[in-house]
Amino acid sequence: VGTTHPGDRGADGAPIIAVDCNGADLGPAEVAAGAALAAREGARVLLFGPAEEMRIQPASLTLPEGVEIVDAPVSIAKSADPASAVRTTPEASIVQAARAVAEGRAQALVCAGGTGAALAAGLFNIKRAKGIYRPALAIPLPMPNQPVTLLDVGANAEARREHLVQFAFMGAALANMVLEVERPRVGLLSNGKEAERGSRLILEAGEELTERAGRVAMEFVGNVEGGDVVGGVADVIVTDGLTGNIALKLMEGVSQTLLGAVRDAAMASARARLGGALLRPALREVRDELDPEEQGGAYLLGLRSLGVVPHGRFTRRGFARAILRAERGACEDLVGRTQIALEQAGALRERGGGPSSAQAASLPQAR
Amino acid sequence: VGTTHPGDRGADGAPIIAVDCNGADLGPAEVAAGAALAAREGARVLLFGPAEEMRIQPASLTLPEGVEIVDAPVSIAKSADPASAVRTTPEASIVQAARAVAEGRAQALVCAGGTGAALAAGLFNIKRAKGIYRPALAIPLPMPNQPVTLLDVGANAEARREHLVQFAFMGAALANMVLEVERPRVGLLSNGKEAERGSRLILEAGEELTERAGRVAMEFVGNVEGGDVVGGVADVIVTDGLTGNIALKLMEGVSQTLLGAVRDAAMASARARLGGALLRPALREVRDELDPEEQGGAYLLGLRSLGVVPHGRFTRRGFARAILRAERGACEDLVGRTQIALEQAGALRERGGGPSSAQAASLPQAR
C-alpha cells in the first residue's frame, strides 16, 4: 500500500530529506548545524545552499555521515513574488531541493526560506498528490500539554466545502502519524459551538465531516470557537487559509504584546525588577513549554511528498526537529496513508474534469 | 441634519438611555448601581429589570435624580434562541427597553443581557437605519494607548462586499464620535498587507474603500494582518462577523492562557512566589491599562438608534461607562451622522428592491 515514494533512498532504505538552507535568519550554517544534529539521530540529509557559508560553528561539529552538501548559492527566500521567482530561477536552492524530491533523490522537503517559496516550489515540482484539491499549510501550535494543529494557515485565501473536508483528513493524518496523536479530535473553526452556527461553507463542511469521519481513525468534534484554539478540545482545527492566517498572526501578536507588557512591568521600579529577577526561572519554563521549535514548524500537506517549513528565526535545534519530523512523515508514508484515509472516507477528488481542475494552476497565497 | 431621534427627551433636551438590567453576572442591582454612577455625571436613565432586586448596595448609594425604574422582571438573557425569545416574550425587559427606544421614550439602548438578545430586540423593534444593509457588532479592544475597534464581531456569519464597506464607515463614525479618534485609520483584515492579498471579497471591498474613503473624515490604510489587531496601525479593523468573532474569542483565550501560565509560574516555588508578590503592583497597572470595562463593551451599529452591550461580567463601573458612551452617541447623533457619511461616500443602500431586501428578515447570529 501507498508506494508513492519509489525513489532511490539511502542504501539501507531510509528516506533522504532534501533541505533548503537559504533564508534562515541565522544563516545557512545554522541549518547545516541542525542537519548535523538530526544526522546524529540517524537522519539522512541532502543540503542545498551556499557551500561556502555552510561551515558549521563550532568547528568541532563537522558534518557527520549521512549529510551531503549540494552547492546551490542562489536564494529566492526574500523574493516578494515567490511564485514567479520559482518559475524563473531553476538554479535557486529551494527549486533544486524540491526537484530532488520530485525526481526521487529525496523523499521529503524541508525549507527554511519561507512558506511562499516552499509552496510554489512544491506545487510546481513535487506537485499535488492524486485526488487532492489543494495543498494546505498546517501548523502545530505549541500548547502546555499537546500541540493543536491549525490548518490551513495561508496556502489558499479561499476554500470550498470539499477543501475544508480534505484539510480535516490531511490534518488528522499529520497529527496521527507525525505528531503521535492516537485518534485525533478534529474541529471546524466557527463563531459558536452549536452545529447550526457558522457560514454556509462551515455548515456544509460540518455535515459532510459528520458523515465521513467515522470511516477512519479520527473523531469529528464539530464546531469549535476561537477560544478553543487554546482550549484543548481538539487536536486539529480546520479553517480556510484566510481565517487561519489571521488567527495565527493574531495569536503571535497577542502573545508578544502581553509578554512584552509583563517584561515592561518588570522594569517599572526597583521592587518590580527584583520580582522579575526572582520570577525569571519559572517564566523560562513556561516559555520552554510553549517553544515553537519543538514542533518543527509548518507542514505543507497535499503534495506527493511531505514538506516541512521551519520558521526562519529557528535555531539549529528547530531545524533538526523539522528534519526529523519530515523523516518520520516519509517513514510513515504520510502521503500514501493520507490518500488511503481520504479514499476510505470518500473524500478524494474524482479523476479528471470537475469544477476544480482549473485550480491546478492556482498560485500559492502564503509567504 | 440627522433628526432621527425626535422622541420626547428629558425636559432639558438631554437624551434618555434605556437600560436592560437583566443578565449581568452580578445581578440587576449592579447595573442599577452603574446607572447611579452615570447619573451623577448627568446621564438620564430608564432602567428595565426586576424592581425588587434592584436595590443598590451600599444603601447610601440611592438612585439619584434622572434614574427611573420600570419593573420588568422577565429575563430572556439566558435564552438559547434569543431571536425567538424576543418574538414570543414582549414583556421581557430587553424587549421593553428596545421598545422604549423605538417609541422615542429613550434615545439609546444599553443591554447587559448579551449581544444575541440585544441584536434581536434591536432588529425587531428599533429596526435598521435607512440605507443600512445589516447591523454590525463593534468592539473597542483595550490597548495600552488607544483602543482598536474591531467589527463585525458576530452580528452576521457572512458578509458581502457592500456590507464590509458600510461596516468601515460605521466603525469610523463610532471611533470618531464616541471614542474620540479625530480621523480614524481604517484597515481591512486580511492574510497580508499587500493590496492584492486576500479573498475576492476583501479585494473588492478594498478597491471600493480606496475609492470612497477620501470623501469623508477617515483614512483607509488598506489591508492589515492578524498581528496588526494589536499593532496600532489602525483605529478600526473591518472583517466579516465569522472571522471577527473567531478573532475576538481567540484573543480572549490566548490572553487568559498566557496570564494563567504567568500566574501558575508565580506559584511554582518559594522564590517564584516572592517574585510574583513583588511584581504584582506593576502587573496590576498592566491589567488596568487593558481593562475592557473602560470601553463600555460592544456597540451595536446600524440600527435607528445606538445600542451598547456591556459584558455580563462587568461591574457597575463598566455599566456606567456603557451608559455614558451611549449618551454620547445619542448627543452626537451618531446614527444620523453615520448616514450622512455613508451618503457622502456613496455607500448607502439604494431605496427599495435590490438583492439585499430579503435580508431584512435575516436572523441575528451573535449570542
Side-chain angles (χ1 to χ4, degrees):
Chain A
V1 274
T3 53
T4 46
H5 308 288
D8 24 313
R9 297 179 169 215
D12 52 0
I16 295 172
I17 312 304
V19 178
D20 171 23
C21 297
N22 278 315
D25 293 356
L26 296 173
E30 190 70 14
V31 185
L37 291 177
R40 283 189 191 173
E41 298 189 38
R44 306 174 70 96
V45 187
L46 206 49
L47 293 177
F48 295 82
E52 256 193 12
E53 297 170 41
M54 285 160 74
R55 280 183 212 100
I56 304 174
Q57 296 301 330
S60 61
L61 190 66
T62 55
L63 280 185
E65 221 177 316
V67 180
E68 198 181 310
I69 288 182
V70 178
D71 187 28
V74 177
S75 170
I76 56 168
K78 303 293 175 214
S79 164
D81 184 351
S84 98
V86 160
R87 284 186 210 262
T88 57
T89 323
E91 69 276 24
S93 55
I94 175 63
V95 179
Q96 290 197 49
R99 231 169 33 225
V101 176
E103 292 166 1
R105 284 177 283 131
Q107 283 66 48
L109 177 70
V110 170
C111 169
T115 51
L119 186 52
L123 264 174
F124 297 150
N125 293 283
I126 303 175
K127 298 199 162 58
R128 282 179 307 154
K130 214 172 73 182
I132 299 288
Y133 291 102
R134 298 196 180 177
L137 268 172
I139 193 150
L141 302 163
M143 297 286 158
N145 297 311
Q146 193 167 267
V148 172
T149 300
L150 182 68
L151 82 164
D152 175 22
V153 293
N156 318 278
E158 294 183 70
R160 290 210 308 265
R161 186 198 77 251
E162 59 269 31
H163 304 158
L164 293 184
V165 169
Q166 284 199 342
F167 294 170
F169 291 102
M170 285 155 65
L174 175 75
N176 177 242
M177 291 171 223
V178 177
L179 307 173
E180 304 178 49
V181 181
E182 199 172 329
R183 187 183 167 84
R185 298 160 301 162
V186 179
L188 208 45
L189 193 56
S190 190
N191 58 331
K193 289 183 211 297
E194 305 84 354
E196 74 275 10
R197 304 264 293 175
S199 61
R200 198 168 49 192
L201 172 72
I202 290 170
L203 300 190
E204 289 177 1
E207 276 174 29
E208 195 171 328
L209 282 168
T210 303
E211 187 201 319
R212 299 187 189 279
R215 306 185 195 170
V216 300
M218 98 179 197
E219 183 192 347
F220 178 55
V221 299
N223 281 353
V224 298
E225 296 185 303
D228 295 327
V229 173
V230 293
V233 302
D235 305 299
V236 176
I237 293 182
V238 175
T239 187
D240 63 88
L242 179 70
T243 311
N245 186 277
I246 290 169
L248 180 64
K249 291 178 184 162
L250 182 61
M251 289 185 77
E252 290 172 353
V254 172
S255 306
Q256 282 166 16
T257 302
L258 266 182
L259 293 179
V262 170
R263 216 173 11 243
D264 289 350
M267 299 296 286
S269 67
R271 176 190 162 136
R273 273 193 295 279
L274 176 59
L278 289 169
L279 200 52
R280 199 162 296 135
L283 285 178
R284 203 172 288 135
E285 267 179 49
V286 173
R287 199 194 54 194
D288 290 348
E289 243 186 1
L290 303 177
D291 176 17
E293 298 204 16
E294 184 61 26
Q295 304 305 330
Y299 291 77
L300 182 49
L301 306 176
L303 300 181
R304 290 185 199 167
S305 297
L306 174 63
V308 185
V309 190
H311 200 290
R313 67 167 179 251
F314 276 11
T315 66
R316 58 191 66 190
R317 204 170 58 73
F319 295 122
R321 291 294 299 165
I323 291 166
L324 290 168
R325 288 286 172 90
E327 185 199 32
R328 189 178 164 90
C331 283
E332 294 280 330
D333 190 17
L334 174 66
V335 172
R337 286 166 69 192
T338 301
Q339 276 188 289
I340 291 170
L342 282 165
E343 192 170 13
Q344 285 173 343
L348 274 182
R349 178 179 162 199
E350 278 170 39
R351 205 176 270 275
S356 51
S357 55
Q359 288 156 17
S362 80
L363 290 181
Q365 290 282 338
R367 244 168 234 180
Chain B
V1 275
T3 53
T4 46
H5 307 289
D8 27 312
R9 298 180 167 211
D12 52 359
I16 295 172
I17 312 305
V19 178
D20 171 24
C21 298
N22 277 315
D25 293 357
L26 296 173
E30 190 70 13
V31 185
L37 291 178
R40 283 189 189 176
E41 298 191 35
R44 305 175 70 95
V45 187
L46 206 50
L47 292 178
F48 295 82
E52 257 195 11
E53 295 171 42
M54 285 159 75
R55 280 184 211 97
I56 305 175
Q57 294 302 329
S60 61
L61 189 67
T62 54
L63 279 186
E65 220 176 316
V67 180
E68 198 181 310
I69 289 182
V70 178
D71 187 28
V74 177
S75 170
I76 56 168
K78 304 292 176 214
S79 164
D81 185 351
S84 97
V86 161
R87 284 186 209 264
T88 57
T89 324
E91 69 278 23
S93 55
I94 175 63
V95 179
Q96 291 198 48
R99 230 169 33 224
V101 176
E103 293 166 1
R105 284 177 284 131
Q107 283 67 47
L109 177 70
V110 170
C111 170
T115 52
L119 186 52
L123 264 174
F124 297 150
N125 294 283
I126 304 175
K127 299 200 161 57
R128 283 178 307 154
K130 215 172 73 184
I132 299 289
Y133 291 101
R134 298 195 180 178
L137 269 172
I139 192 151
L141 302 162
M143 298 285 158
N145 297 311
Q146 192 167 268
V148 172
T149 300
L150 182 68
L151 82 166
D152 173 23
V153 294
N156 318 277
E158 294 183 70
R160 291 210 308 264
R161 187 197 79 252
E162 59 269 32
H163 305 157
L164 294 184
V165 169
Q166 285 198 340
F167 294 170
F169 291 101
M170 287 155 64
L174 175 75
N176 177 240
M177 291 171 225
V178 177
L179 307 174
E180 304 180 46
V181 182
E182 199 172 329
R183 186 183 167 85
R185 297 161 301 161
V186 179
L188 208 45
L189 194 56
S190 189
N191 59 331
K193 290 183 210 296
E194 305 83 356
E196 73 274 11
R197 305 265 292 176
S199 61
R200 199 168 47 190
L201 172 71
I202 290 171
L203 300 190
E204 288 177 0
E207 275 174 31
E208 195 171 328
L209 282 169
T210 302
E211 188 201 318
R212 297 187 190 279
R215 306 184 196 171
V216 300
M218 96 179 200
E219 183 191 348
F220 179 56
V221 299
N223 281 354
V224 299
E225 297 184 304
D228 295 327
V229 173
V230 292
V233 302
D235 305 299
V236 176
I237 293 182
V238 175
T239 186
D240 63 89
L242 179 71
T243 310
N245 186 278
I246 290 169
L248 180 64
K249 291 178 184 163
L250 182 61
M251 287 184 78
E252 289 172 354
V254 171
S255 305
Q256 282 167 15
T257 303
L258 266 182
L259 293 179
V262 170
R263 215 170 14 242
D264 289 351
M267 300 294 288
S269 66
R271 175 191 163 135
R273 272 193 296 278
L274 176 58
L278 290 168
L279 200 51
R280 200 163 295 135
L283 285 177
R284 204 171 288 136
E285 267 179 48
V286 172
R287 199 194 54 194
D288 289 348
E289 245 186 1
L290 304 178
D291 176 16
E293 299 204 14
E294 183 62 25
Q295 303 306 329
Y299 291 77
L300 183 48
L301 306 176
L303 301 180
R304 289 184 199 169
S305 297
L306 175 62
V308 185
V309 190
H311 201 291
R313 67 167 179 254
F314 276 11
T315 66
R316 56 190 67 189
R317 205 170 59 74
F319 295 123
R321 291 294 299 164
I323 291 166
L324 290 168
R325 289 286 173 92
E327 187 200 32
R328 188 179 165 88
C331 284
E332 295 280 330
D333 189 18
L334 174 65
V335 173
R337 287 167 69 190
T338 301
Q339 275 187 290
I340 291 171
L342 283 165
E343 192 170 11
Q344 286 174 342
L348 273 182
R349 178 180 163 200
E350 277 168 43
R351 206 177 269 275
S356 50
S357 55
Q359 289 156 17
S362 80
L363 290 181
Q365 291 281 337
R367 246 170 233 182

